[in-house]
């Protein structure tokens, strides 16, 4: 019996002393795959969310477009009234400004616009020479002007203030004769200044006429820089042919006024 008990104790001791097996590494553990039905359920849920977001976005864009169309088709009443009032006020302001301009323009023209015409009842003893002028009765000029004045010799247009000016000249010639000889018409504007001892030609115009009965108007125009004290005179090769009958101011005129470039 003692031998039997000793063997049993040895066996128990052997069992207790046997080392336990080491656990397998985590990397070697295999997770159990999810079922296919669960994956399908997740996919369908995600798809519903995406469809919902897309639907909301489309509805929002459509609402914005509809609101914009309605806003432009039916603008607010208060804004329309405000715009009409602003337009009315602007028109009234412009109207008042235009009236004020109309009141001031004649004065400005009277002091800057100089228009001369051939002196009436003039008799030319020489064919060539300077043309005598007088102020146009239809365009009265005040006693003083800031820019030009007709000199005492009635031939010189004197510059009172230096600047840039537009100068225009039109002379109407006529002749009634049975003779058809060729006539050479010529006149020019000459510029007298203290910087030169001789006159400088500013504008020259000539033309040939070969008729029995004729009337011809020669017009020329230019923009020039003039100094205070300069004088402008018109020389004509055919003074005796200048048409002095009827309303002379509508046929022959010497005009000068300031030119302001924009």
């Amino acid at each position: 019996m003692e031998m039997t008990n000793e063997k049993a104790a040895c066996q128990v001791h052997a069992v207790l002393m046997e080392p336990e097996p080491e656990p397998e590494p985590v990397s070697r553990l295999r997770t159990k795959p999810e079922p296919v039905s669960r994956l399908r359920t997740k996919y369908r849920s995600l798809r519903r969310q995406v469809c919902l977001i897309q639907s909301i976005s489309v509805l929002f864009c459509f609402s914005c477009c509809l609101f914009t169309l309605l806003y432009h088709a039916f603008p607010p009443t208060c804004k329309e009234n405000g715009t009409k009032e602003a337009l009315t006020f602007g028109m009234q302001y412009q109207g008042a400004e235009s009236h004020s301009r109309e009141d001031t323009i004649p004065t400005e023209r009277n002091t800057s616009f100089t228009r001369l015409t051939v002196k009436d009842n003039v008799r030319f003893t020489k064919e060539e020479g300077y043309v005598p002028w007088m102020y146009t009765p239809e365009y009265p000029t005040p006693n003083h002007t800031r820019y030009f004045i007709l000199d005492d010799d009635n031939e010189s247009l004197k510059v009172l203030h230096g600047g840039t000016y537009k100068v225009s000249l039109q002379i109407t010639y006529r002749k009634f004769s049975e003779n058809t000889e060729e006539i050479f018409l010529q006149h020019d504007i000459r510029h007298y200044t203290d910087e030169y001892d001789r006159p400088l030609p500013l504008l020259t115009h000539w033309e040939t006429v070969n008729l029995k009965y004729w009337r011809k108007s020669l017009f020329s125009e230019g923009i020039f820089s003039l100094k205070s004290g300069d004088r402008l005179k018109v020389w004509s090769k055919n003074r005796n042919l200048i048409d002095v009958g009827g309303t002379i101011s509508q046929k022959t005129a010497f005009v000068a006024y300031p030119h302001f470039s924009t």
Side-chain angles (χ1 to χ4, degrees), residues 23 28 40 43 51 64 87 91 96 113 115 128 135 137 149 164 189 203 208 251 254 260:
R28 294 181 181 180
R40 289 180 179 177
Y43 175 74
C51 292
C64 292
L87 291 175
M91 293 175 64
F113 188 86
R115 180 185 176 99
E128 299 181 3
Y135 290 108
I149 188 173
T164 304
I189 301 176
L203 284 175
T208 302
K251 295 179 288 186
F254 187 27
F260 304 100

Side-chain angles (χ1 to χ4, degrees), residues 10-217:
C10 291
Q11 292 178 356
V12 171
H13 180 71
V15 171
L16 291 175
M17 292 299 292
E18 186 177 358
E20 296 181 358
E22 296 181 0
E24 295 183 0
V26 179
S27 60
R28 294 181 181 180
L29 296 177
R30 296 182 179 178
T31 57
K32 188 177 181 180
E34 295 186 10
V36 178
S37 58
R38 189 173 181 181
L39 291 175
R40 289 180 179 177
T41 303
K42 289 184 177 181
Y43 175 74
R44 291 175 181 175
S45 176
L46 181 62
R47 186 174 180 181
R48 291 195 201 97
Q49 294 178 3
V50 172
C51 292
L52 180 62
I53 294 174
Q54 291 178 349
S55 301
I56 294 175
S57 301
V58 172
L59 182 62
F60 178 76
C61 295
F62 178 77
S63 302
C64 292
C65 294
L66 183 61
F67 176 77
T68 304
L69 293 175
L70 293 177
Y71 180 81
H72 287 285
F74 305 98
T77 307
C78 59
K79 182 177 180 181
E80 184 178 0
N81 294 336
T83 305
K84 289 182 178 180
E85 291 178 0
L87 291 175
T88 304
F89 176 77
M91 293 175 64
Q92 293 176 354
Y93 178 77
Q94 291 178 358
E97 184 179 2
S98 63
H99 287 303
S100 63
R101 288 181 178 179
E102 290 177 358
D103 295 338
T104 57
I105 283 177
T107 304
E108 293 179 356
R109 286 183 177 177
N110 289 338
T111 58
S112 62
F113 188 86
T114 302
R115 180 185 176 99
L116 307 177
T117 188
V118 177
K119 193 173 181 180
D120 56 355
N121 299 324
V122 62
R123 294 293 182 268
F124 298 107
T125 58
K126 294 182 180 181
E127 184 177 358
E128 299 181 3
Y130 290 103
V131 179
W133 301 99
M134 69 175 186
Y135 290 108
T136 306
E138 293 84 352
Y139 297 88
T141 303
N143 295 330
H144 63 280
T145 176
R146 293 183 299 167
Y147 300 101
F148 296 97
I149 188 173
L150 183 61
D151 215 342
D152 295 336
D153 59 359
N154 294 325
E155 295 179 353
S156 305
L157 186 62
K158 188 175 181 180
V159 181
L160 300 180
H161 182 74
T164 304
Y165 298 92
K166 178 176 284 189
V167 181
S168 305
L169 174 63
Q170 175 177 303
I171 298 180
T172 300
Y173 300 94
R174 54 81 186 109
K175 186 175 182 181
F176 305 101
S177 174
E178 294 294 335
N179 191 359
T180 58
E181 64 177 350
E182 185 176 78
I183 299 178
F184 182 73
L185 300 176
Q186 178 185 353
H187 63 245
D188 52 51
I189 301 176
R190 295 181 179 181
H191 177 205
Y192 285 82
T193 178
D194 296 336
E195 297 179 358
Y196 296 91
D197 56 354
R198 65 179 66 182
L200 304 176
L202 288 185
L203 284 175
T204 301
H205 196 171
W206 61 83
E207 193 165 337
T208 302
V209 181
N210 189 2
L211 296 171
K212 290 184 179 182
Y213 309 102
W214 56 268
R215 178 181 282 110
K216 191 72 175 179
S217 295

